[in-house]
Amino acid sequence: MSDQETPSLYEWAGGEQSFRRLIDAFYDRVEGDELLSPMFPGGVHEEHRRNVTLWWCEVFGGPPGYTEQLGGYERMLRHHIGLAISPEQRHRFAATMSLAADDADLPSDPEFRSAFMAYVEWGTRLALQNSSPGAEVVEHAPVPHWGWGVAPPYHG
C-alpha cells in the first residue's frame, strides 16, 4: 500500500464524530475520577470538549481547525504551563484515554491503537514536562501531525 493510499489516523478512526465520542467518553470518565477531576473544577464544559476535539482531529490528520480557530500549539501549551501535573495524573490520563477509546468504539486493530497510544504517551509526557513549575518549554512549535509509525494498517 502506498502512502497515497494509506488513510490518515483521523480517517481510519471515522473522522470528527469519532474523535468527539472519544473526547466525551474521556471527560465523562475524568469527571468521576478522584485524581483527574480536581484539574477541572466545575466539570468539563462544552467549549473545552469542542476545543480538545479540534486538537485531536488536527493531530491525527484531520482539518487544521485548532490552529485556524484557536491559535495552534501556543494556545494548547498555555493551558498546561504551571499545572504541576503529577506522574500519577499523567499515567491515569493515559490509562483513561485508552479506556475512552474503547468506550467510543474507536478502531481496535493493533496498528491504530499502537499509533493512538504512542501519541497519548508522547503528549502526556510532554504535558507533564511543560506543566512543571519553572519548566523551560518550547514556546513555538507546530501542532504535531501523528501518523501510523512503523505499523500502517494491514490489508491482507
Side-chain angles (χ1 to χ4, degrees):
M1 174 180 288
S2 74
D3 285 345
Q4 290 181 328
E5 296 171 356
T6 303
S8 67
L9 293 166
Y10 171 83
E11 293 166 329
W12 190 262
E16 184 175 353
Q17 293 172 342
S18 294
F19 281 96
R20 180 55 195 249
R21 281 195 321 271
L22 168 71
I23 297 307
D24 282 339
F26 173 73
Y27 283 123
D28 289 351
R29 283 181 173 272
V30 164
E31 287 178 335
D33 186 278
E34 70 281 353
L35 190 58
L36 297 176
S37 64
M39 298 177 77
F40 301 93
V44 185
H45 302 290
E46 170 57 28
E47 181 181 7
H48 184 81
R49 291 170 185 245
R50 183 185 68 80
N51 293 348
V52 173
T53 299
L54 287 173
W55 172 266
W56 281 73
C57 286
E58 185 169 340
V59 165
F60 283 97
Y66 194 90
T67 296
E68 290 175 353
Q69 297 173 36
L70 301 171
Y73 178 83
E74 288 83 4
R75 174 145 179 197
M76 181 59 72
L77 177 64
R78 282 195 310 266
H79 289 295
H80 294 93
I81 291 177
L83 280 182
I85 297 169
S86 71
E88 294 79 16
Q89 287 171 316
R90 186 217 64 84
H91 184 268
R92 181 75 57 86
F93 183 105
T96 302
M97 189 57 78
S98 180
L99 293 169
D102 292 338
D103 295 343
D105 202 27
L106 289 186
S108 62
D109 57 277
E111 297 83 6
F112 176 82
R113 288 299 178 98
S114 174
F116 176 82
M117 290 309 296
Y119 172 72
V120 171
E121 279 293 318
W122 179 84
T124 59
R125 290 177 187 281
L126 188 60
L128 174 70
Q129 176 184 336
N130 289 338
S131 75
S132 299
E136 292 185 28
V137 300
V138 175
E139 293 184 23
H140 306 290
V143 172
H145 292 153
W146 217 256
W148 289 97
V150 296
Y154 179 74
H155 293 286

